[in-house]
Amino acid sequence: MNLKLLKRNLNINLDSWLFISIILSFFLLAPIITLFTSLATQNIETFIHIAETLLPEYIRNSSIIALFTGLFTMIIGVSTAWILTMYEFKFSKLLHVGLILPLAIPTYIAGYVYSGIFSYTGIISRTARNLFGYNLNLDIMNIYGVTFIFTFFLYPYVFIIARSFFAKQSLSMLESAKVLGKSDTQTFFLVVLPMARTAIIGGVTLVIMEVLSAFGLPSYFGVQTFSTGIFRTWLTLGDTDAAINLAIILMGLIFTIIFIERKSRGRKQYSFTNTKIKPINKKPLSTKHSVIAIIVCMIPILFGFIIPLMQLFSWSFMTYKEVIDEKLIRIIMNTFFIGIVGAVFATIIAVIISNTSRLKKGKISKFLSKLTTIGYSIPGAVIAIGVMTFFIFVDRKILGEKVFYGTLFLMVFAYVIRYLAVAYNSVESGFDKIGMKFHEASRSLGEGKTKTFFRVDLPMIKGSVIGAVILTFLEIIKELPLTLILRPFNFQTLSAYAKQYADDEMVQHSAIPSIILILIGIIIILFFEMINKKKEK
């Protein structure tokens, strides 16, 4: 078969955009491939010991936390989304924003806060002793405490997706249920919930992936899960091979969950058969029912945002003189530097691959677009091990000296793999909005693909590109396990700095770096919420 025939059969029209995208894709996949190749050549004695003694505990704890967190986040997210979609009452717009804000607080910071609140010297035990003379001893540093914190800080994933789905439903569908004699409750359980099933499962799947990937919270609470097991094996036992085995098992578990989620979704799509869609008119609530609705919506805001933020501010007033110094300023600059560099690189790669995918229809472009989402579904600890293993191989076997190991390049590379999907989704939505009309007009005037991209496409998707950088930046600065494994010696970020204080039993001192991270998150969430409101109008 000659080259021309091969080219036609594969439907490839190789150009610079496609070539660069394939090269980038190879490097993005390389660390994951390295993990699997390492699996075949390693000594497994330690892993067999771990599999017989610790692995059952990792599986049991991870499963219990994922199951109950998924269940509780579904109840909170769906119920609050339905209330705010269907009913009109005071403060509903404010509550809508408030229900998203727990996303600004990383779960490991929430863990520091609640462990302090429920400790012997915390506000609850102190109040019980001083006012009632009762020696209250509430220990939340266990599997139940981890589930509690994951629930109140991850439910916004379900809330956002469910709220978006409910808002797009037609009033006529609900009226049909009413005509058949169904009450509001029956309509919700018999009509709305089955239709929203795929959206809800999608949100819960995101929550479960976050739970299985999390390291900081279960580690601080002393609960053994897959992520803590990988760290323990890697850093404490010093057994890289066994850590790789655990990482591959965890990756397989997460891919199985994604597969089940995709299968459950199948080809189910609910769409309208005509263009006469009646938007949902919110039903005004009486004063009594308004109070109930406000209380229901305020509970997750109270536990997921207000209480932890108040506690952090209280601690910051106690410790700011000891914490705010030149070192903190240097750490803030480190955090912004690594966050911006990682976000910019991720966005540039997302733009290249996204543009290639829209210009090259076919299996290759579909593969490239799928590739961008792989990293987001793999825990940070697994990616960190894959990246480190890959560059150790490059340094030893190809370059013959230590070039990449222990440098910031490894962190940036790993951040790009982990959060490329975040940048890609934003850029892709920008390309979807502008379509191909202007691009084709430019090409018909004789301009090349690259010149058309810089003169026509890029200025039109500028907002989406900026959005991609901001969202990716937020994810990177909150990342903990990947940062802990790959950061060079003496290089601190805010997330690692807060963890260091907490590990040194100086949890109050972790307040200021935590508050800085949270405030950045709040600003970015409110910014995008404002943009979404403008789009809806």
Side-chain angles (χ1 to χ4, degrees):
M1 187 183 290
N2 61 37
L3 185 60
K4 284 186 179 178
L5 185 58
L6 179 65
K7 195 172 169 182
R8 189 169 58 251
N9 288 343
L10 293 175
N11 195 26
I12 294 175
N13 180 16
L14 200 61
D15 61 19
S16 56
W17 283 91
L18 183 60
F19 179 73
I20 294 171
S21 295
I22 291 172
I23 296 294
L24 289 172
S25 304
F26 168 76
F27 279 105
L28 293 173
L29 273 180
I32 311 301
I33 295 170
T34 306
L35 277 182
F36 283 99
T37 54
S38 302
L39 182 69
T41 59
Q42 60 189 299
N43 182 356
I44 60 170
E45 284 183 13
T46 307
F47 176 71
I48 291 174
H49 173 71
I50 291 172
E52 290 173 347
T53 55
L54 297 172
L55 192 58
E57 186 183 6
Y58 297 159
I59 294 174
R60 185 178 63 248
N61 288 347
S62 298
S63 303
I64 291 172
I65 295 169
L67 177 67
F68 284 99
T69 303
L71 177 66
F72 295 143
T73 53
M74 182 178 69
I75 293 170
I76 294 174
V78 172
S79 59
T80 50
W82 180 246
I83 289 170
L84 289 175
T85 305
M86 290 302 296
Y87 303 107
E88 184 69 47
F89 53 95
K90 274 190 176 181
F91 311 118
S92 59
K93 290 180 181 174
L94 197 62
L95 290 168
H96 177 262
V97 177
L99 282 164
I100 301 172
L101 288 178
L103 276 183
I105 303 180
T107 52
Y108 52 86
I109 291 177
Y112 308 153
V113 172
Y114 274 102
S115 69
I117 290 174
F118 285 98
S119 69
Y120 182 78
T121 55
I123 187 168
I124 292 181
S125 299
R126 215 170 51 240
T127 305
R129 280 197 303 274
N130 295 340
L131 291 184
F132 307 106
Y134 181 69
N135 196 13
L136 187 65
N137 184 22
L138 285 174
D139 180 18
I140 66 158
M141 298 189 71
N142 48 42
I143 197 168
Y144 307 109
V146 171
T147 305
F148 166 80
I149 290 172
F150 275 139
T151 297
F152 281 103
F153 292 86
L154 295 180
Y155 77 83
Y157 285 110
V158 182
F159 169 78
I160 292 169
I161 293 176
R163 172 87 174 83
S164 174
F165 182 88
F166 293 152
K168 291 174 184 170
Q169 298 312 298
S170 171
L171 182 64
S172 56
M173 179 191 65
L174 304 179
E175 288 176 341
S176 300
K178 289 284 178 64
V179 169
L180 294 171
K182 304 297 180 189
S183 65
D184 283 355
T185 307
Q186 287 174 320
T187 302
F188 175 74
F189 282 105
L190 297 178
V191 179
V192 176
L193 215 48
M195 290 184 66
R197 192 184 71 183
T198 53
I200 294 168
I201 290 175
V204 172
T205 303
L206 278 176
V207 169
I208 291 174
M209 284 166 58
E210 289 285 335
V211 168
L212 293 177
S213 305
F215 163 72
L217 174 61
S219 167
Y220 188 67
F221 275 38
V223 176
Q224 298 303 320
T225 62
F226 260 110
S227 290
T228 60
I230 291 170
F231 266 82
R232 185 178 177 184
T233 309
W234 176 278
L235 299 177
T236 307
L237 300 179
D239 194 317
T240 309
D241 294 341
I244 289 173
N245 265 340
L246 285 175
I248 289 175
I249 292 175
L250 177 57
M251 198 161 59
L253 184 63
I254 288 180
F255 283 161
T256 304
I257 292 170
I258 294 171
F259 176 76
I260 293 170
E261 189 266 331
R262 297 278 160 84
K263 274 290 179 186
S264 72
R265 186 189 305 173
R267 295 181 179 275
K268 293 184 181 68
Q269 284 187 342
Y270 296 99
S271 58
F272 303 107
T273 54
N274 57 59
T275 57
K276 296 177 181 177
I277 301 169
K278 291 170 67 177
I280 292 175
N281 293 321
K282 291 186 178 182
K283 183 179 173 182
L285 288 180
S286 64
T287 305
K288 177 185 167 187
H289 288 106
S290 293
V291 171
I292 295 172
I294 290 170
I295 290 172
V296 170
C297 293
M298 273 303 296
I299 289 172
I301 300 175
L302 194 67
F303 286 105
F305 187 73
I306 295 174
I307 290 176
L309 204 61
M310 287 174 65
Q311 180 64 78
L312 283 172
F313 274 112
S314 167
W315 284 344
S316 68
F317 286 121
M318 294 163 54
T319 59
Y320 73 93
K321 288 181 182 174
E322 300 165 54
V323 176
I324 298 177
D325 53 15
E326 287 182 9
K327 184 180 178 184
L328 179 66
I329 293 169
R330 193 167 62 249
I331 289 170
I332 293 171
M333 291 173 68
N334 285 348
T335 306
F336 271 82
F337 171 75
I338 201 73
I340 291 170
V341 172
V344 168
F345 272 104
T347 305
I348 290 171
I349 294 171
V351 169
I352 293 171
I353 295 178
S354 183
N355 193 43
T356 304
S357 297
R358 75 174 189 135
L359 296 178
K360 295 280 180 190
K361 301 295 181 189
K363 289 183 179 176
I364 289 185
S365 62
K366 203 172 178 181
F367 169 74
L368 290 174
S369 62
K370 291 283 182 190
L371 183 67
T372 61
T373 62
I374 287 179
Y376 199 65
S377 57
I378 301 174
V382 177
I383 290 178
I385 291 175
V387 168
M388 188 174 280
T389 309
F390 174 66
F391 280 103
I392 287 175
F393 171 80
V394 171
D395 280 351
R396 288 181 181 170
K397 304 291 182 182
I398 299 176
L399 301 176
E401 60 179 324
K402 196 170 83 172
V403 176
F404 293 109
Y405 184 78
T407 65
L408 284 177
F409 176 81
L410 262 66
M411 283 179 78
V412 174
F413 191 85
Y415 286 142
V416 170
I417 296 176
R418 178 90 168 95
Y419 296 113
L420 182 60
V422 177
Y424 184 86
N425 288 336
S426 180
V427 173
E428 188 184 39
S429 69
F431 277 129
D432 286 345
K433 280 177 194 167
I434 65 173
M436 293 294 291
K437 191 168 57 178
F438 298 101
H439 179 88
E440 288 168 355
S442 173
R443 295 298 307 275
S444 68
L445 294 172
E447 298 287 2
K449 287 180 184 175
T450 305
K451 197 173 276 187
T452 296
F453 170 76
F454 282 107
R455 289 188 173 180
V456 178
D457 296 332
L458 188 57
M460 294 180 73
I461 62 162
K462 189 171 60 180
S464 299
V465 172
I466 294 170
V469 173
I470 294 172
L471 282 176
T472 312
F473 169 79
L474 175 62
E475 294 286 352
I476 288 175
I477 63 171
K478 290 194 304 181
E479 172 66 39
L480 183 62
L482 191 154
T483 305
L484 290 176
I485 291 179
L486 294 180
R487 67 191 168 110
F489 177 72
N490 215 21
F491 183 86
Q492 285 276 33
T493 64
L494 286 168
S495 59
Y497 197 42
K499 185 179 188 313
Q500 182 185 315
Y501 273 128
D503 288 346
D504 293 341
E505 298 187 356
M506 299 170 70
V507 69
Q508 293 91 344
H509 292 70
S510 70
I512 289 183
S514 300
I515 286 174
I516 296 169
L517 278 177
I518 293 168
L519 289 180
I520 294 170
I522 291 172
I523 292 168
I524 292 175
I525 287 173
L526 292 179
F527 173 72
F528 278 97
E529 185 62 19
M530 189 176 67
I531 290 176
N532 287 335
K533 287 288 178 191
K534 281 185 180 177
K535 284 179 184 173
E536 287 175 7
K537 289 177 183 176

